[in-house]
Amino acid sequence: MHTYLDCDTGIDDALAIAYLLAHPDVTLAGIGTVNGNTTAPQAAANTLGLLALAGRDDIPVAVGSGEHPYPASVHGGNGVGGVRLPAGKDPDSRTAVELLVELARRHPGELHVLATGPCGNLAAALRTEPRLPEMVASVTVMGGAVRVPGNRAPHAEANIIHDPAAAATVLSAPWPVTLVPLDVTMRHRWTVADSETLRAGGSPLRVALADMLPAYFDGYQDRLGAREIPLHDPLAAAVMVGEAVPGEAPLLSIGVEADGRTVEKGPGNVRTVLSLTAPAGPALLSRIRTL
Ligand code: RIB
Ligand code: CA
């Protein structure tokens, strides 16, 4: 699966990158970054540092949309819990939009797009190349809170509220889009024991990922009443790949309101994953532990 990832690397984005690198069926053709958990340039630096640890500096990383500065979040000041990653190679000379459109043209009908940050780059790519919807194989978006409370506001999820107009554009475009909202991602988590399993005897990449997690545990402890972390972005990656199998996943029309709410409007073309057929945490951990 030729894959383009658009992300705001971030701690769970880092887990999604690791999952994609570990999955034998995935060819990670390119990564674009967007303001979200941190700035787009910082997200690119974080991504390039992870790729350096993985020995994968063959993968282009392009800096994307830098609008909408974002307050520091549960991901810490540098986006990855304060963990110092190696200086990877330089970002690609193309923008994230240029990289996405070029990959879609290079792999007609075969490129799978995964967005684990706000939707600014995908919306801009749709404006740049209006034929994009029929050029890609699939689009998977981590975001939204359809029948559950939000996490960045009472009724809004972080990726969506950051850029509601872009999310509305992406979720209404005529492409095969799957939404992976908090409805499902909040229910699949890792514990501290899982983070120690990730670290044990691990590669420098796995140790770096494990070092990021305490900040994420801290960020969710009050909300969850436990030291657990929801697996938002790696779960969306596993849905895209097909390893996490949706249970309830109605085709809905999803409206995005100016305050970032995602509201179901009846039947539509957005496959909205509300549950899985099995727990995702163990499968994600065993896949990432192969790195
Ligand atoms: O609401 C969760 C989403 O917002 C995840 O993608 C996380 O990385 C943050 O970007
Ligand atoms: Ca993210």
Side-chain angles (χ1 to χ4, degrees):
M1 297 175 75
H2 293 287
T3 299
Y4 168 83
L5 170 66
D6 203 82
C7 57
D8 57 340
T9 313
I11 296 171
D12 59 331
D13 303 77
L15 295 176
I17 291 167
Y19 175 82
L20 294 171
L21 292 174
H23 199 291
D25 297 344
V26 171
T27 300
L28 191 45
I31 301 174
T33 66
V34 62
N35 263 24
N37 294 319
T38 185
T39 64
Q42 182 63 49
N46 294 340
T47 301
L48 288 160
L50 289 166
L51 294 177
L53 287 175
R56 293 301 311 275
D57 61 8
D58 57 296
I59 298 172
V61 177
V63 179
S65 171
E67 290 88 42
H68 311 298
Y70 210 38
S73 64
V74 297
H75 301 265
N78 70 346
V80 285
V83 171
R84 291 183 58 78
L85 295 170
K89 70 174 184 181
D90 290 341
D92 194 275
S93 59
R94 291 162 290 187
T95 66
V97 171
E98 289 166 342
L99 178 59
L100 168 51
V101 171
E102 184 174 316
L103 290 173
R105 288 172 178 156
R106 188 186 307 164
H107 303 288
E110 295 182 350
L111 186 70
H112 295 268
V113 177
L114 172 64
T116 61
C119 294
N121 292 331
L122 270 61
L126 284 165
R127 289 190 293 271
T128 299
E129 175 49 88
R131 296 173 302 157
L132 196 59
E134 59 256 27
M135 295 166 69
V136 303
S138 76
V139 179
T140 303
V141 176
M142 190 281 135
V146 180
R147 299 176 182 171
V148 297
N151 61 352
R152 176 60 63 163
H155 302 291
E157 180 276 333
N159 286 339
I160 304 299
I161 197 173
H162 184 73
D163 195 343
T169 298
V170 168
L171 294 179
S172 60
W175 46 13
V177 59
T178 294
L179 185 67
V180 184
L182 297 182
D183 304 63
V184 64
T185 65
M186 288 298 291
R187 291 155 60 182
H188 295 267
R189 304 174 187 170
W190 277 355
T191 64
V192 172
D194 292 323
S195 71
E196 289 316 310
T197 301
L198 174 66
R199 177 189 303 279
S203 60
L205 174 60
R206 281 169 50 192
V207 170
L209 292 171
D211 286 346
M212 296 176 193
L213 298 185
Y216 209 33
F217 281 111
D218 293 345
Y220 270 97
Q221 176 146 358
D222 291 346
R223 176 186 172 120
L224 299 179
R227 282 190 77 74
E228 296 178 350
I229 46 174
L231 298 164
H232 306 296
D233 293 345
L235 194 155
V239 168
M240 180 200 77
V241 170
E243 189 160 37
V245 178
E248 186 183 7
L251 287 171
L252 299 175
S253 170
I254 298 288
V256 181
E257 301 189 357
D259 65 359
R261 295 172 198 243
T262 41
V263 181
E264 56 186 293
K265 304 258 187 188
N269 84 314
V270 178
R271 184 175 69 137
T272 307
V273 181
L274 300 177
S275 69
L276 298 180
T277 57
L284 292 171
L285 182 56
S286 61
R287 187 71 72 189
I288 294 172
R289 285 191 71 215
T290 64
L291 292 175

